Amino acid sequence: MNGAVGFGVFSIDGDEPRVGFRVGQGVLDLAASGFSSELSEPSLNAFLASGRRTWEAVLGRAVELVEGGHDVVPLEDATVHLPFEVADYVDFYSSLEHATNLGRLFRPDSDPLLPNWRHLPIGYHGRAGTVVVSGTPVVRPRGQSKEPDDSAPRFGPSRRLDIELELGFVVGVPSVLGTALPPAAFRDHVFGVVLVNDWSARDIQAWEYQPLGPFLGKSFATSISGWITPLALLEDRFVAPPVQDPEPLPHLRIAGNWALDIELEVELSDTVVSRTNARGLYWTMPQQLAHATSNGASVRTGDLFASGTISGPDTGSEGSLIELTRNGARPIGVGDGSTRTFLEDGDEVVLRGRAGNVELGEVRGTILPARP
Ligand code: MN
């Protein structure tokens, strides 16, 4: 198979949304193709909850139908909806390069990595209800901020609106409250991955984030792809993760190839401004899931766990504008000859991912002016 592949929810001409399997520019209507009852609902949640054997059987049959020339709906005729009801949303901070870059910018006078960073995947609980599907416009948030030289905080439209290039995983099978999931349980609970744009208002974030972490600087919108790429289609893209030093505590240890070799890019105003790869993430997805449940917290069908901004070690591989522009000090050029530090009204951002022949569904969003 070539092109973007994944499961999602679509509708035609205002009809009832239904579950579909996208391959390239076509969508197989699963509800109308003789699949089981989990696939007759206007959301993927029932299918996500059905577990690995059903996931594999449905994927196998869907691929067979598409490759056999079964009728598909042209993607351009489809309205793509949020593919699942997002239960809880967690955002991690798992890129060593990103955490180091941000630490330098936010806390210039101290060690960029805090002492806990190499011992656990740092994360925070985000706002599930404002996760939106690719193509949904993003209204510039208003908020409180205070620049270092200001004598008092102000309230108004964010002046440092940013993106975060991330890879998220989607939980299918829930866990039991009070029971931790070991890293090895990952494949029994997680269905697949989506690209995530964790829009971030840096000015709001910088003023609010201590001592309890990100809040309104992040919660106004988070965009995900309309198509979940099943882990089963990424089998040959699992590679060795970076060496972890010091070795994590036993409950976070897992051997094997758990990094995902997915090439990623960020396009801003028709210009690719960053290229990187998810395989460089320090903390792997099974470790993130194990950490999130290590206190006995349960996961639910539809839980979304995002990696944190994915930045590489090289110039031009950073997954956010605050890094690419050194906090606005070094503007970058875009296609029409203008430059950007942070996002301007009307800017369109597209995130893309490629894992060999399989593309991830893109994540697209355009900035609308702040509302009064
Ligand atoms: Mn983030």
Side-chain angles (χ1 to χ4, degrees), residues 89-93 98 124 163-166 196-200 202 205 214 218 222 306-310:
Y89 165 47
V90 164
D91 192 24
F92 286 102
Y93 194 51
H98 173 71
Y124 67 94
I163 56 156
E164 291 194 338
L165 165 66
E166 307 196 14
V196 179
N197 188 345
D198 176 25
W199 306 94
S200 298
R202 300 302 181 192
Q205 181 185 358
K218 301 278 195 174
T222 307
S307 58
T309 309
I310 304 172

Side-chain angles (χ1 to χ4, degrees), residues 20 107 113 155 299:
R107 294 180 304 277
L113 276 193
F155 182 86
V299 293

